[in-house]
Amino acid sequence: MALIVLWDIDHTLIDNAGVSKEIYGAAFEAVAQRRPSGPAVTEGRTDRLIMREMFDRDSLARPGWDTVQAALEAAESERFEELQRRGSALPGVRDTLTAVADEPGIISSVLTGNIAPNARLKLAAFGLDGLVDLSVGAYGADHLERAALVAVARDRIHRAYAVPAGTPVALVGDTPRDVEAALTSGVQIIAVASGVHAAHELHGAGADVVLPDLINTGVLLSHFGRISGTQS
């Protein structure tokens, strides 16, 4: 099959066990020299948007993005072992990513709100980083809004792999923002109710396919076959 698959990371592939929100809080404190008034609001937002909203909420001037990105990268690196200790790969993910990587014609990468270094570390914490092509993914530094990341990933993949312009794309994620990103970009969405959003919320956001998790690799590959046109 000929298909591009773009995976969300947090709560789709891994459980970060709250470490992500600690990273945003630490990055904010490193830049602002004071603790934030409350935790970061994530739920599918990009790192750019999450940090902007934190500074706006506390009525502080927005710092330069390079400063914020460096603080985020440092905060993630400092908590790598904590993530390994408290977090985990979600059930079925390792087998699913391995099966997809072995499937001829599928290009498997990520579309995540995390900045690229932090995305790599989150996957590396559980030995998943070698199962997707991170060099062609789309990340939270690439754009403020998640929906715009689909075009970023498509462009990188087309340049790296020279795939036809009409190659179908499947986005796999756990939030309504993942669903919105897919629908806005005209690509397929496979939603996974493995995060804080229940299946009915994901259906309500517009997802036709909602899986409870990524345990059943055969079912997922069947959906990929349908999207790619190799199965009816």
Side-chain angles (χ1 to χ4, degrees), residues 198-214:
H200 70 87
E201 294 178 90
L202 298 170
H203 279 302
D208 291 329
V209 177
V210 180
L211 305 178
D213 48 47
L214 294 176

Side-chain angles (χ1 to χ4, degrees), residues 8-12 172-176 178 191-197 202:
D8 173 51
I9 294 178
D10 291 297
H11 307 297
T12 298
V172 185
D174 67 286
T175 73
D178 293 302
V192 189
S194 49
V196 300
H197 296 282
L202 298 170

Side-chain angles (χ1 to χ4, degrees), residues 5-196:
V5 177
L6 301 172
W7 308 89
D8 173 51
I9 294 178
D10 291 297
H11 307 297
T12 298
L13 299 181
I14 72 163
D15 176 5
N16 64 57
V19 174
S20 276
K21 292 199 175 185
E22 294 169 13
I23 289 166
Y24 296 121
F28 179 96
E29 186 171 355
V31 175
Q33 296 299 296
R34 49 163 279 191
R35 300 186 69 175
S37 60
V41 179
T42 54
E43 296 185 357
R45 290 170 170 81
T46 65
D47 280 1
R48 278 185 179 271
L49 185 56
I50 290 166
M51 295 301 293
R52 174 183 287 194
E53 289 181 346
M54 290 181 77
F55 280 92
D56 288 351
R57 181 183 61 192
D58 284 22
S59 300
L60 297 176
R62 296 172 183 169
W65 171 245
D66 288 348
T67 300
V68 174
Q69 180 166 269
L72 284 169
E73 189 171 348
E76 170 80 35
S77 180
E78 290 164 1
R79 288 161 180 77
F80 181 74
E81 291 182 358
E82 184 72 4
L83 177 62
Q84 286 182 308
R85 185 180 69 81
R86 286 164 47 190
S88 64
L90 286 170
V93 163
R94 189 179 312 279
D95 289 343
T96 292
L97 290 182
T98 300
V100 171
D102 290 341
E103 191 72 30
I106 293 185
I107 299 166
S108 182
S109 189
V110 297
L111 188 148
T112 173
N114 293 285
I115 59 173
N118 291 7
R120 183 177 296 277
L121 283 180
K122 283 184 175 182
L123 294 178
F126 311 109
L128 304 175
D129 52 317
L131 298 176
V132 290
D133 185 350
L134 293 172
S135 70
V136 294
Y139 301 95
D142 291 323
H143 202 281
L144 189 68
E145 297 295 341
R146 192 179 194 91
L149 298 182
V150 177
V152 173
R154 268 178 156 166
D155 288 345
R156 286 177 178 156
I157 289 167
H158 288 318
R159 288 197 301 269
Y161 286 90
V163 295
T167 301
V169 178
L171 195 79
V172 185
D174 67 286
T175 73
R177 285 180 185 263
D178 293 302
V179 178
E180 178 191 22
L183 298 180
T184 301
S185 306
V187 305
Q188 298 294 311
I189 178 70
I190 295 178
V192 189
S194 49
V196 300

